[in-house]
Amino acid sequence: MFFKKKKEAGKPEAAEKKELLYKENIRVGCKPDTQENVIRAVGQMLVDTGYVDQPYVEAMLEREKSFSTYMGNELALPHGVEAAKKEIKASGIAVMIFPEGTQWGKEKAKIVIGIAGVGEEHLQILGVIADKMLVPNAAEELVKGDVDTVYRVLSGKE
């Protein structure tokens, strides 16, 4: 798993904690598209699985206008602007894999991971993704992998 929240003493467990990544939020073999369409698609996956409300998708586009979410190593991590935090219902990610790459500004991204993080959890999520991507051949494994492979690499689960 990406990370486990420590249970605070005396606080009841939440009714149902959403997983950070569900297999239905992984798309492999994606065809290149415009950066805006890719952000809309990955954002809509977050909406459809209940992580965020619809306005968060526009906030992801707004973030990209202020600075690129391209991280290098053929990885882009689109996420919303700070003002959109109120649109996040639960922390989660959605993944799109582009074997041929898709244009991301002046770069090409093969792995696009949309992120929604409650509070400061987005920083933890970014850190964990960065750590996983430092593993030799991790990006190549994701790009060549199927949904189960992507899920295993990013979640640590089978």
Side-chain angles (χ1 to χ4, degrees), residues 87-98:
E87 306 298 342
I88 301 172
K89 298 189 272 188
S91 293
I93 64 173
V95 183
M96 294 180 76
I97 305 294
F98 297 86

Side-chain angles (χ1 to χ4, degrees), residues 89-138:
K89 298 189 272 188
S91 293
I93 64 173
V95 183
M96 294 180 76
I97 305 294
F98 297 86
E100 302 166 36
T102 192
Q103 204 62 41
W104 207 270
K106 295 180 180 170
E107 306 291 341
K108 280 219 178 193
K110 290 188 175 181
I111 304 162
V112 177
I113 304 175
I115 298 174
V118 173
E120 296 304 310
E121 286 183 2
H122 72 282
L123 296 175
Q124 286 179 288
I125 296 167
L126 289 169
V128 171
I129 291 170
D131 287 347
K132 290 187 179 292
M133 295 305 290
L134 288 175
V135 174
N137 302 323

Side-chain angles (χ1 to χ4, degrees), residues 16 21 27 39 50 60 70 72 78 84 100 108 116 121 127 133 147:
E16 181 196 345
L21 176 62
R27 292 187 188 157
I39 293 171
M60 293 172 79
Y70 183 80
E100 302 166 36
K108 280 219 178 193
E121 286 183 2
M133 295 305 290
V147 169

Side-chain angles (χ1 to χ4, degrees), residues 14-85:
E16 181 196 345
K17 177 89 169 123
K18 283 179 107 29
E19 292 291 325
L20 198 63
L21 176 62
Y22 292 105
K23 287 184 181 180
E24 60 261 31
N25 274 8
I26 300 171
R27 292 187 188 157
V28 298
C30 299
K31 297 294 179 206
D33 204 343
T34 66
Q35 188 173 340
E36 179 177 341
N37 286 346
V38 172
I39 293 171
R40 286 189 187 284
V42 79
Q44 192 61 48
M45 287 193 289
L46 294 171
V47 172
D48 292 346
T49 46
Y51 291 113
V52 300
D53 289 324
Q54 193 67 47
Y56 189 76
V57 178
E58 292 304 317
M60 293 172 79
L61 292 165
E62 189 178 325
R63 163 72 70 203
E64 203 64 40
K65 289 176 188 169
S66 61
F67 71 88
S68 177
T69 57
Y70 183 80
M71 301 293 152
N73 201 22
E74 300 179 322
L75 171 69
L77 302 174
H79 54 283
V81 294
E82 191 67 30
K85 287 279 187 194

